[in-house]
Amino acid sequence: MAGDFVLPQRPGAAAVAAAEGVDGDRLWARLMEMAAHGATEAGGVNRQALSDADIAARALLRSWGAELGLEASVDTIGNLFLRLPGKDDGAAPVLSGSHLDSQPTGGKFDGAYGVLAALEAVEAMQGAGIEPARPIEIVAWTNEEGSRFSPGMMGSTVFTGARELDTVLAARDGEGTTVGAALARVLDAEGDVPKRQLGGRPAAFVEAHIEQGPVLEAAGKSVGVVTGIEGKRVFRVTVIGKMGHAGTVPQGERQDAVIAAAAMVTAIGDAVAADGRGAKFTVGMFNVHPNAPSVIPAKVHFSVDMRHADAVKLSALGDGIVRLCGENGMGCEVDVNELSHDAPLDFCQPMRSLIGAGSGALAIPSMDVFSGAGHDARHLHYLCPTGMIFVPSRGGISHSEDEWTEPGHLADGARVLTAVLATLATA
Ligand code: HGY
Ligand code: MN
Ligand code: MN
């Protein structure tokens, strides 16, 4: 959705010159230093939201911001901002960034790239002597991934008003720790960082990100102009059976939560398969209680991640989950809880045009690409003109320790981001 700010359609000469000053080696070095926080043996990152590794990553980001003279601030959901003042410092800022938290078996680039590309863009602008007319703010949104605390995108949804702060603070991780308690530790560690009010209406938001899919690599393009984001619904299903002895309870007299849950997963999977190629269905979490080999499972708690680019199909598939779980309960109690429902969206054309024109002005090969992954930009889209810039993912692999993007592609994406941000901030 476009706001009041009328977007320029082409980057100016000064913005293009600033973009040419992007230092790919500096960006790469920062990404590798950031990846040390939560580094896994297999070369990935486990930096879940509001963990000690997340706190360390945020401190590193602030230290780089301080070197550039940027003013740090943090809001009540823990979104971290680094601000480059504008000549009119009261004007709505241009916002750019992504997230620093990761999946438990995440890679080095998902999220961190968008934050550090924005930092590189600001440093390149400073190097080119650009004084923005309006402030530029780099943002690291809290808990995008939603792996430790669900649902994700807590920072961007509370910022935009899509979710209530109190509801989000009450969410618990698998150990029973609330977001409120974990966030208090983060804010305590950042006691010297000035607090800011929640929300506000940016002039624009631009998020750079790795594609996490195969399209750009296959097409040999280094930049993707993101056209939109697929819809997503997230559920938790709880199946309550009856605990018993694996050797003594006759097969026909059991309420086995795993057998029932397996039937539910199969039934949902069959419905997705019948729908055709567009739907995506994942049960990434499946917890069994008591999880003992000779005990009939008394409880299963599993996740459902359902995605589709078509809003009507996503609604129908998601709505079918309650019925399919109920029909396959096999005598167990079943509870289906929907955590989030995000419709598919198309980013506004002016932002897409500006990103495309930025790539063209820099002679960086680009193409339109649709996002199967979710991003904080989806929530900013409803608040201000918003766009995304993708760079290729090797083999299309992400949410994996094998995630990889070539340094040259990362630099190209940061160049386009710089051209776009400098244009927006000087307009
Ligand atoms: O799952 C998603 O799409 C996001 O990357 N967390
Ligand atoms: Mn991400
Ligand atoms: Mn992710």
Side-chain angles (χ1 to χ4, degrees):
M1 178 195 285
D4 302 328
F5 182 42
V6 178
L7 268 65
Q9 284 306 281
R10 300 208 63 78
V16 173
E20 277 159 356
V22 159
D23 183 336
D25 293 337
R26 181 169 62 197
L27 172 60
W28 181 259
R30 283 191 181 133
L31 274 162
M32 295 306 111
E33 200 176 334
M34 185 58 82
H37 294 297
T40 62
E41 271 179 27
V45 170
N46 177 7
R47 194 169 56 230
Q48 293 184 67
L50 309 178
S51 62
D52 287 346
D54 193 16
I55 292 173
R58 292 161 61 98
L60 182 59
L61 175 65
R62 280 187 289 118
S63 75
W64 286 328
E67 283 169 16
L68 302 187
L70 308 180
E71 303 157 9
S73 61
V74 64
D75 68 16
T76 44
I77 186 61
N79 295 318
L80 179 62
F81 299 83
L82 300 174
R83 179 182 176 96
L84 177 69
K87 280 188 256 182
D88 176 1
D89 209 34
V94 170
L95 203 55
S96 182
S98 188
H99 58 99
L100 290 176
D101 68 307
S102 81
Q103 294 287 333
T105 53
K108 298 181 176 81
F109 308 97
D110 178 359
Y113 171 60
V115 177
L116 298 183
L119 186 74
E120 180 58 37
V122 166
E123 189 160 4
M125 277 183 250
Q126 288 177 322
I130 287 190
E131 287 184 52
R134 55 179 68 245
I136 300 176
E137 292 190 329
I138 298 161
V139 59
W141 300 111
T142 297
N143 185 26
E144 191 275 346
E145 295 289 5
S147 183
R148 178 181 175 197
F149 298 105
S150 202
M153 305 196 194
M154 284 184 170
S156 52
T157 51
V158 172
F159 179 90
T160 59
R163 283 191 213 131
E164 294 291 332
L165 176 64
D166 288 348
T167 313
V168 165
L169 293 180
R172 289 178 192 272
D173 67 7
E175 256 82 68
T177 304
T178 61
V179 169
L183 180 61
R185 281 185 68 240
V186 175
L187 297 180
D188 197 43
E190 298 176 358
D192 55 339
V193 180
K195 302 289 180 287
R196 63 188 271 146
Q197 281 200 324
L198 202 51
R201 184 135 183 251
F205 177 65
V206 189
E207 180 170 1
H209 206 282
I210 56 168
E211 183 199 340
Q212 310 181 274
V215 176
L216 292 175
E217 183 182 64
K221 307 284 187 188
S222 34
V223 159
V225 180
V226 183
T227 57
I229 301 184
E230 193 162 73
K232 174 180 176 184
R233 295 179 76 172
V234 174
F235 301 82
R236 293 288 184 271
V237 182
T238 308
V239 185
I240 310 278
K242 195 168 174 200
M243 209 178 296
H245 193 294
T248 60
V249 183
Q251 199 65 28
E253 294 171 25
R254 298 178 176 205
Q255 286 150 267
D256 183 325
V258 163
I259 300 281
M264 294 172 200
V265 171
T266 303
I268 302 168
D270 287 348
V272 167
D275 188 74
R277 281 178 55 83
K280 291 156 197 161
F281 161 59
T282 305
V283 177
M285 185 193 85
F286 195 93
N287 292 326
V288 179
H289 177 77
N291 208 23
S294 296
V295 181
I296 298 167
K299 180 174 161 183
V300 167
H301 188 61
F302 68 93
S303 59
V304 174
D305 177 316
M306 183 76 77
R307 308 199 193 201
H308 209 300
D310 181 317
V312 175
K313 290 192 170 191
L314 180 66
S315 288
L317 284 168
D319 292 350
I321 290 175
V322 172
R323 179 179 54 80
L324 292 171
C325 288
E327 284 172 5
N328 290 280
M330 301 183 176
C332 298
E333 231 179 87
V334 184
D335 176 62
V336 180
N337 181 22
E338 180 159 22
L339 299 185
S340 61
H341 182 166
D342 294 318
L345 62 84
D346 292 319
F347 288 123
C348 66
Q349 192 57 56
M351 188 64 93
R352 286 154 58 177
S353 300
L354 178 59
I355 294 169
S359 308
L362 289 158
I364 292 173
S366 72
M367 67 183 286
D368 283 354
V369 58
F370 187 69
S371 179
H375 302 284
D376 294 300
R378 81 150 33 260
H379 296 289
L380 276 294
H381 164 74
Y382 298 106
L383 188 67
C384 63
T386 292
M388 290 193 74
I389 297 165
F390 274 178
V391 290
S393 292
R394 185 176 69 192
I397 294 169
S398 183
H399 283 190
S400 160
E401 291 161 290
D402 293 334
E403 187 178 275
W404 184 261
T405 296
E406 290 303 324
H409 291 152
L410 295 165
D412 277 348
R415 282 185 191 104
V416 175
L417 179 68
T418 306
V420 170
L421 293 182
T423 302
L424 292 171
T426 51

